[in-house]
Amino acid sequence: MSIWKRIGNLFSKPAAPGVTKSMLNLAPGDICEVSLASYEVTGRTHTNGRNAVVLTLRDGSQIAYLHIEERERLRYALYRAIDGRLDDPAEVPTTLQLDDYTYFLEEEYEGYAEVVGQTPFMNGGEQHVWQYQSDDSRLLRVEWQNGRFMLYEGETVIPADVKVIRAS
C-alpha cells in the first residue's frame, strides 16, 4: 500500500454500518422464523396509509400469511387461508359464525395495496379488509380486491416468537 493511500485512510470516514431489516421491511427471498418454524418470504402486501404488511410465507408446500402491524408496539398474527364465500363487499356482516365459533368485527379499513411477489392478489389496487376476533382470541381476516374475496383464520403470535433469519 502506498504512503498516499495510508494517509488518505487516516482521514476517510468509516463505512456506514448496514441497516438491519426488521420484520416490516422483509421482501421476497428473505427468511424468517415464526413460532420455531422457518419460512421463506414469497410475497408482500402493503396497504398505503397503514404501518402494516402481510407477508406470504412458504415452508415446503405449506403457505401461511403473517400480518405485521406497528402501532404502539409490533403486533403479529399468523393466518392460513380457509374456504369460504361472501357475495358482496357492501354486505359483509359485523358478526360471522364459522365452525362453531362466533367472530366479531374488530376493525375495517381500505386502501391501495402494493403487491410484490406471490400473493393471493397478484396486482395492486384498492383493497378492503375486515378483521374479526372471537371470544377465545381466534382471529379471522377477510380481504376483498378486484372482485375476489379471501378468508383467513389465524392466531396472535407473541413478538418473541418472530425473528429475521436472513435478509437480502
Side-chain angles (χ1 to χ4, degrees):
M1 185 182 302
S2 74
I3 186 88
W4 300 112
K5 282 193 176 189
R6 289 183 184 177
I7 292 172
N9 287 341
L10 288 174
F11 296 107
S12 66
K13 294 181 179 178
V19 176
T20 57
K21 276 197 169 182
S22 73
M23 290 298 291
L24 277 170
N25 299 331
L26 290 183
D30 294 337
I31 307 291
C32 66
E33 183 179 289
V34 180
S35 299
L36 301 176
S38 295
Y39 294 96
E40 176 187 4
V41 177
T42 59
R44 172 188 168 89
T45 303
H46 175 259
T47 304
N48 286 346
R50 297 184 67 84
N51 200 13
V53 296
V54 175
L55 300 176
T56 303
L57 306 176
R58 183 179 299 273
D59 177 21
S61 65
Q62 301 294 317
I63 295 177
Y65 303 92
L66 183 64
H67 179 256
I68 307 164
E69 185 168 16
E70 185 173 28
R71 290 186 181 182
E72 64 278 2
R73 61 182 173 83
L74 279 174
R75 296 180 184 182
Y76 300 97
L78 187 64
Y79 291 94
R80 303 238 184 255
I82 59 172
D83 290 332
R85 192 183 105 182
L86 295 168
D87 295 324
D88 185 5
E91 297 177 3
V92 175
T94 57
T95 304
L96 280 171
Q97 186 75 28
L98 183 67
D99 295 336
D100 298 329
Y101 292 101
T102 302
Y103 294 94
F104 303 96
L105 184 63
E106 201 172 55
E107 183 176 17
E108 175 186 353
Y109 61 89
E110 62 184 73
Y112 184 81
E114 297 173 2
V115 174
V116 178
Q118 300 171 345
T119 64
F121 302 103
M122 295 309 291
N123 298 328
E126 194 68 26
Q127 183 181 53
H128 299 263
V129 177
W130 297 264
Q131 293 185 152
Y132 295 83
Q133 185 171 3
S134 70
D135 287 336
D136 61 348
S137 298
R138 295 173 61 94
L139 303 175
L140 182 72
R141 180 179 173 92
V142 177
E143 296 176 348
W144 180 85
Q145 184 177 340
N146 297 330
R148 180 176 175 209
F149 277 102
M150 285 293 295
L151 282 77
Y152 310 90
E153 195 170 36
E155 60 198 22
T156 302
V157 178
I158 60 173
D161 284 350
V162 180
K163 67 180 179 178
V164 176
I165 300 292
R166 184 191 64 173
S168 53

